[in-house]
């Protein structure tokens, strides 16, 4: 009997690839419209409308955005009726309106949404009376909205305030919400992005203030994306009404978010919290910056996926945290780098040391080619998966447009990621993460050796100034 011998086969994983889908683009005086013809198993169409926001009063901005998104959701659901599922997502720099309908109903849905957002608003409303200026000043008599109908009519705003109040009251004192508020304050300081929505500011939100918020950015900055089955030209025609005529209020002057204020990290003591919540990060370049691909891969290698350094060290080796993560959150032309880890309280100081060590190693280029390749593959594969459905594709195009990029940016996505060298990634980690240093907050059950200086928790009614940091 002959004994067969075999040579071990080295398993190989096919490298993922991403090809940006073809699109058609239309530039109008009231914004940019993009359409993508995407075949699929169903006859559904996805639409995204990006309403860029320019903050007014900084401390009130987040609260106004939440109420505006809630009021828009209600108004646009009423307008679309049973023809579409409509949502409105609140972000500091934008409100994103999403609509899903059958392709045959797309034109009617877009027309209804556009009519609701136009100068006349739903029910033929004239919009907020007396709001002629660009500021839509908070609490002024002129900022009172009309009653009872309209996009931001008094009754609708009352209902929106009540809905937001219910959400805030249920979560405002939760440790994760406190940690998020402290982190944003540390990163953005007194800028509007440094504040979170609070119940205390809801009574001052008026229809006029919401109308001024929505009209704050130039109407030409609005963007709309439609993805469906059919010729892209027909999709463009159907979606034109999504970009309605300009509102009657003057735009606001934009204040760009600045870098982090001088200071460090603070510990907020919250007795009874079962773990210590670590929230660190900083203000970094956004997608428009040429270093963004290298920074994106650096953040991914640090804590952006299950094969990251923080997962390997904090979870697998030390058993301190179940799901540490690091992400980039683009806001307009810039971004916030966020590192989050909920750790065992007896190991919080140790976790901070390990985070610093891994960041230093990453910035020094102490990683093998296989680690870089794995992160590149994950980056490319994630984009391919995000664009594998009509809904995901619409959101990817919308995110690209809101960052100030053209859809053509997607065409070179894989090439930019694959072209990165180890030196590129290390330099990005050093320049934007290590050298500026990380700032933020910890929420811990008690003071402990090795943790940052203790500062008091914000009161039940947070003040409009940022949380004090050492």
């Amino acid at each position: 009997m002959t004994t067969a011998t075999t040579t071990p086969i080295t398993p190989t994983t096919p490298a993922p690839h991403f090809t940006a889908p073809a699109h058609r683009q239309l530039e109008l005086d009231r914004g940019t419209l993009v359409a993508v013809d995407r075949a699929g198993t169903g006859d559904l169409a996805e639409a995204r409308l990006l309403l860029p926001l320019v903050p007014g009063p900084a401390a009130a901005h987040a609260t106004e955005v939440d109420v505006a998104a809630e009021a828009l959701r209600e108004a646009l659901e009423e307008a679309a009726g049973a023809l579409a599922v409509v949502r409105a997502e609140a972000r500091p720099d934008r409100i994103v309106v999403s609509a899903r309908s059958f392709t045959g109903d797309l034109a009617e849905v877009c027309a209804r949404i556009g009519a609701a957002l136009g100068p006349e608003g739903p029910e033929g409303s004239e919009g907020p009376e007396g709001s002629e200026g660009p500021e839509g000043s908070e609490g002024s008599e002129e900022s009172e909205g009309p009653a009872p109908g309209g996009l931001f009519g008094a009754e609708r705003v009352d209902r929106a305030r009540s809905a937001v109040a219910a959400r805030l009251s249920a979560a405002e004192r939760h440790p994760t919400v406190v940690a998020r508020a402290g982190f944003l304050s540390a990163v953005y300081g007194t800028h509007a992005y440094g504040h979170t929505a609070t119940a205390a500011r809801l009574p001052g939100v008026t229809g006029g203030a919401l109308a001024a918020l929505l009209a704050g950015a130039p109407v030409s900055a609005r963007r709309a994306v439609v993805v469906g089955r059919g010729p892209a030209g027909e999709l463009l025609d159907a979606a034109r009404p999504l970009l309605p005529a300009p509102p009657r209020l003057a735009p606001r002057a934009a204040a760009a978010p600045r870098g982090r204020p001088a200071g460090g990290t603070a510990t907020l003591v919250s007795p009874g919290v079962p773990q210590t919540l670590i929230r660190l990060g900083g203000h970094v370049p956004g997608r428009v910056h040429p270093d963004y691909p290298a920074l994106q891969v650096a953040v991914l290698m640090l804590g952006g996926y299950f094969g990251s350094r923080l997962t390997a060290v904090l979870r697998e080796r030390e058993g301190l945290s179940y799901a540490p993560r690091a992400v980039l959150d683009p806001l307009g032309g810039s971004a916030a780098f966020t590192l989050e880890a909920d750790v065992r309280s007896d190991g919080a100081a140790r976790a901070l040391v390990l985070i610093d060590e891994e960041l230093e190693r990453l910035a020094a280029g102490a990683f093998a080619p296989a680690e870089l390749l794995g992160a590149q593959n994950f980056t490319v594969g994630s984009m391919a998966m995000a664009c594998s459905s009509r809904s995901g594709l619409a959101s990817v195009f919308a995110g690209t447009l809101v960052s100030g990029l053209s859809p053509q940016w997607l065409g070179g996505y894989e090439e930019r990621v694959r072209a990165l060298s180890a030196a590129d990634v290390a330099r990005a980690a050093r320049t934007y993460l290590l050298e500026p240093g990380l700032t933020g907050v910890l929420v811990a059950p008690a003071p402990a050796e090795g943790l940052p200086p203790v500062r008091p928790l914000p009161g039940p009614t947070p003040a409009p100034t940022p949380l004090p940091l050492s």
Side-chain angles (χ1 to χ4, degrees), residues 44 63 73 76 108 110 118 155 189 200 209 218 248 279 311 317 362 370 399 413:
L44 294 176
T63 309
R73 179 201 59 77
L76 300 183
E108 177 65 20
C110 292
E155 292 182 1
R248 295 172 178 174
R279 301 292 185 269
T311 299
R317 193 183 79 193
L362 185 64
Y413 185 85

Side-chain angles (χ1 to χ4, degrees), residues 70-120:
E70 180 64 29
L72 281 171
R73 179 201 59 77
E74 180 188 279
L76 300 183
E77 279 187 346
E78 291 175 358
L83 294 182
V85 176
V86 179
R87 294 182 175 87
E89 176 193 1
R91 299 278 289 141
D93 63 335
R94 63 195 182 273
I95 293 176
V96 182
V97 176
S98 303
R100 175 180 297 167
S101 71
F102 288 112
T103 303
D105 296 325
L106 178 64
E108 177 65 20
V109 169
C110 292
R112 293 185 183 189
I113 291 176
L117 292 172
E120 300 304 319

Side-chain angles (χ1 to χ4, degrees), residues 4 18 31 86 107-108 189 216 221 223 243 256-257 264 270 294 304 308 316 339 354 382 397 427 432-433 435 450 467:
F18 169 69
V86 179
E108 177 65 20
R223 303 287 183 263
L243 298 172
S270 177
S308 70
E316 303 297 336
L339 188 156
L354 294 171
S382 296
F397 269 88
R427 179 180 55 81
Y432 301 111
L433 305 180
E435 291 179 351
L467 295 173

Side-chain angles (χ1 to χ4, degrees), residues 77-369:
E77 279 187 346
E78 291 175 358
L83 294 182
V85 176
V86 179
R87 294 182 175 87
E89 176 193 1
R91 299 278 289 141
D93 63 335
R94 63 195 182 273
I95 293 176
V96 182
V97 176
S98 303
R100 175 180 297 167
S101 71
F102 288 112
T103 303
D105 296 325
L106 178 64
E108 177 65 20
V109 169
C110 292
R112 293 185 183 189
I113 291 176
L117 292 172
E120 300 304 319
E123 306 171 23
S125 168
E126 290 295 324
E129 296 174 354
S131 298
E132 298 293 336
E135 293 299 325
S137 58
E138 178 185 13
S140 68
E141 290 183 2
E142 291 185 343
S143 65
E144 292 296 333
L151 184 60
F152 294 127
E155 292 182 1
R156 192 184 305 282
V157 172
D158 282 344
R159 291 192 296 272
R161 282 194 300 244
S162 296
V164 173
R167 293 198 295 266
L168 291 177
S169 63
E172 201 165 20
R173 305 305 300 162
H174 193 278
T176 58
V177 177
V178 172
R180 180 65 177 168
F183 171 76
L184 292 176
S185 177
V187 171
Y188 287 109
T190 58
H191 188 272
Y193 295 172
H195 300 271
T196 55
T198 65
R201 295 199 173 274
L202 285 171
V205 177
T206 65
L210 301 184
L213 174 70
L214 212 61
V219 70
S220 59
R222 294 185 174 188
R223 303 287 183 263
V225 178
V226 288
V227 180
R229 184 170 63 183
E234 293 182 7
L235 294 172
L236 283 177
D237 290 340
R240 274 175 180 259
L242 275 179
L243 298 172
R248 295 172 178 174
L249 302 180
R252 291 168 169 166
R258 62 178 185 172
R260 69 174 64 86
T265 301
T267 298
L268 308 177
V269 175
S270 177
V273 63
Q275 293 179 301
T276 293
L277 282 63
I278 299 174
R279 301 292 185 269
L280 302 174
H283 187 237
V284 298
R287 288 190 178 110
V288 295
H289 197 283
D291 286 343
Y292 187 82
L295 179 60
Q296 181 183 14
V297 172
V299 170
L300 190 75
M301 292 170 65
L302 180 63
Y305 73 126
F306 200 72
S308 70
R309 291 169 168 240
L310 293 184
T311 299
V313 172
L314 295 184
R315 174 188 164 113
E316 303 297 336
R317 193 183 79 193
E318 303 285 335
L320 294 175
S321 178
Y322 183 76
R325 71 178 192 132
V327 297
L328 291 173
D329 183 17
L331 291 176
S334 63
F337 163 63
T338 308
L339 188 156
E340 299 181 352
D342 298 347
V343 303
R344 287 186 359 231
S345 293
D346 61 353
R350 171 70 173 158
L352 291 176
V353 171
L354 294 171
I355 289 169
D356 286 342
E357 288 179 354
E358 290 308 314
L359 182 54
E360 290 173 0
R361 291 180 61 240
L362 185 64
F367 49 86

